[in-house]
């Protein structure tokens, strides 16, 4: 079998594997989540980052592909994800990040591409500040990673989706909560997954890009939303 056919065969098998072994993949995702390694022992250049490494790899591919001029992140935590994205932008050679959190911390890493904004992500002044920053930017990505309750995420989606440029993404983080497939936070209740499905019922400008879940281990099932129009 030639190389091209072999590659096609592998691709088909990978796809089938994804479809047929959903139970296995869900079980592994739950197991990985329950280790809490992502919460306590995952760092980017010394700063804690609350992400799954396979999602960070997907981010890397997206940054190379989309070359964002601006990334808006809600939910800074310790600044690990902002620093990670700033380093990607250093490699790409362009871009800046606004990261928004209700809490300001001494541990926030300094980087010339990062602007920290202390306020609620849904405050009218925050939205006005973001709208000002977006003006004139061609490639804009939005990452929602703050309060993961359904109502808050839905409100963020309604407020922030207009900032995403066509072809770029609205990433809804932690859609794995509330049994999707993570059950360990039983008291969480409806979260990002429920918000994004409600949002998509009324908005056809965004489509779920399942290919961004190709590594099978993700905190963001259905959470990579591509702006298609
Ligand atoms: C999951 S953490 C962010 C993780 C971070 N992006 C990372 O990957 O390391 C969620 C953060 O959202 C913040 N947060 C909660 N409610 C918020 C709100 N209404 N507006 C902005 N940030 C909020 C919390 O203070 C917390 O730092």
């Amino acid at each position: 079998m030639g190389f091209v056919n072999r590659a096609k065969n592998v691709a088909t098998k990978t796809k089938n594997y994804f479809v047929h072994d959903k139970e296995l993949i869900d079980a592994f995702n739950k197991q990985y989540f329950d280790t809490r390694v992502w919460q306590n022992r995952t760092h980017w250049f010394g700063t804690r980052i609350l992400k799954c490494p396979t999602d960070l790899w997907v981010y890397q591919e997206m940054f190379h592909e989309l070359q964002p001029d601006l990334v808006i992140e809600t939910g800074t935590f310790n600044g690990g994800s902002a620093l990670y994205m700033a380093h990607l932008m250093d490699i790409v050679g362009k871009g800046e990040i606004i990261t928004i959190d209700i809490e300001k911390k001494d541990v926030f890493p300094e980087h010339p591409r990062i602007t920290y904004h202390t306020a609620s992500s849904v405050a009218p002044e925050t939205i006005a500040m973001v709208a000002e920053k977006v003006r004139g930017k061609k490639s804009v990505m939005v990452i929602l990673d703050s309060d993961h309750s359904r109502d808050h995420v839905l409100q963020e989606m309604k407020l922030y989706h207009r900032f995403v440029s066509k072809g770029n993404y609205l990433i809804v983080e932690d859609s794995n909560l509330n049994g999707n497939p993570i059950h360990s936070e039983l008291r969480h209740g409806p979260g990002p997954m429920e918000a994004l499905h409600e949002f998509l019922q009324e908005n056809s400008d965004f489509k779920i890009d399942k290919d961004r879940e190709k590594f099978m281990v993700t905190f963001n099932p259905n959470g990579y939303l591509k702006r298609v129009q």
Side-chain angles (χ1 to χ4, degrees):
M1 195 188 296
F3 173 77
V4 173
N5 280 338
R6 260 202 328 268
K8 272 185 192 158
N9 201 24
V10 169
T12 310
K13 275 188 184 152
T14 308
K15 221 173 171 181
N16 288 341
Y17 178 83
F18 185 79
V19 171
H20 294 304
D21 285 338
K22 188 176 181 312
E23 270 181 37
L24 178 69
I25 291 156
D26 283 357
F28 183 81
N29 272 275
K30 285 187 216 175
Q31 178 74 75
Y32 176 75
F33 189 91
D34 287 344
T35 64
R36 297 277 165 174
V37 70
W38 56 272
Q39 195 170 34
N40 301 311
R41 292 193 292 127
T42 303
H43 299 83
W44 179 256
F45 280 80
T47 303
R48 276 173 68 200
I49 179 167
L50 304 181
K51 292 267 189 291
C52 178
T54 43
D55 287 317
L56 292 175
W57 192 271
V58 169
Y59 273 34
Q60 171 270 130
E61 293 186 345
M62 293 172 80
F63 274 53
H64 176 257
E65 205 179 296
L66 302 161
Q67 312 239 326
D69 298 303
L70 178 67
V71 172
I72 303 151
E73 176 189 61
T74 68
T76 308
F77 183 57
N78 282 10
S81 48
L83 184 64
Y84 173 75
M85 295 189 284
H87 286 164
L88 292 183
M89 286 173 164
D90 284 343
I91 297 169
V92 172
K94 65 184 268 210
E96 60 177 301
I97 298 140
I98 307 170
T99 180
I100 301 155
D101 204 294
I102 41 175
E103 234 187 294
K104 187 178 187 172
K105 292 184 182 156
D106 292 340
V107 295
F108 285 170
E110 281 195 26
H111 190 287
R113 295 188 188 275
I114 305 175
T115 303
Y116 294 99
H117 185 83
T118 310
S120 172
S121 58
V122 295
E125 311 81 65
T126 306
I127 302 304
M129 177 278 294
V130 170
E132 193 54 43
K133 275 279 194 182
V134 167
R135 201 190 294 259
K137 304 286 193 311
K138 279 198 178 125
S139 178
V140 181
M141 180 185 287
V142 171
I143 299 163
L144 304 179
D145 193 17
S146 67
D147 172 343
H148 296 314
S149 63
R150 177 194 53 201
D151 291 354
H152 184 81
V153 178
L154 186 59
Q155 196 181 356
E156 283 189 330
M157 293 187 85
K158 287 178 177 170
L159 289 167
Y160 283 83
H161 76 274
R162 67 187 169 105
F163 299 130
V164 179
S165 54
K166 191 174 163 193
N168 216 313
Y169 285 74
L170 175 61
I171 303 177
V172 182
E173 284 277 342
D174 299 315
S175 48
N176 58 350
L177 298 172
N178 199 36
N180 297 297
I182 302 304
H183 286 291
S184 52
E185 290 187 276
L186 284 176
R187 284 163 297 162
H188 190 275
M193 180 69 86
E194 290 72 24
L196 76 87
H197 282 298
E198 207 169 317
F199 174 82
L200 289 175
Q201 275 175 10
E202 290 180 3
N203 195 310
S204 55
D205 292 353
F206 290 83
K207 293 274 176 273
I208 294 169
D209 186 353
K210 289 301 276 185
D211 199 44
R212 302 291 177 189
E213 299 171 41
K214 65 188 172 182
F215 297 127
M216 295 177 272
V217 182
T218 181
F219 284 0
N220 313 326
N222 295 344
Y224 291 95
L225 303 181
K226 184 173 186 172
R227 180 158 197 167
V228 291
Q229 54 186 346

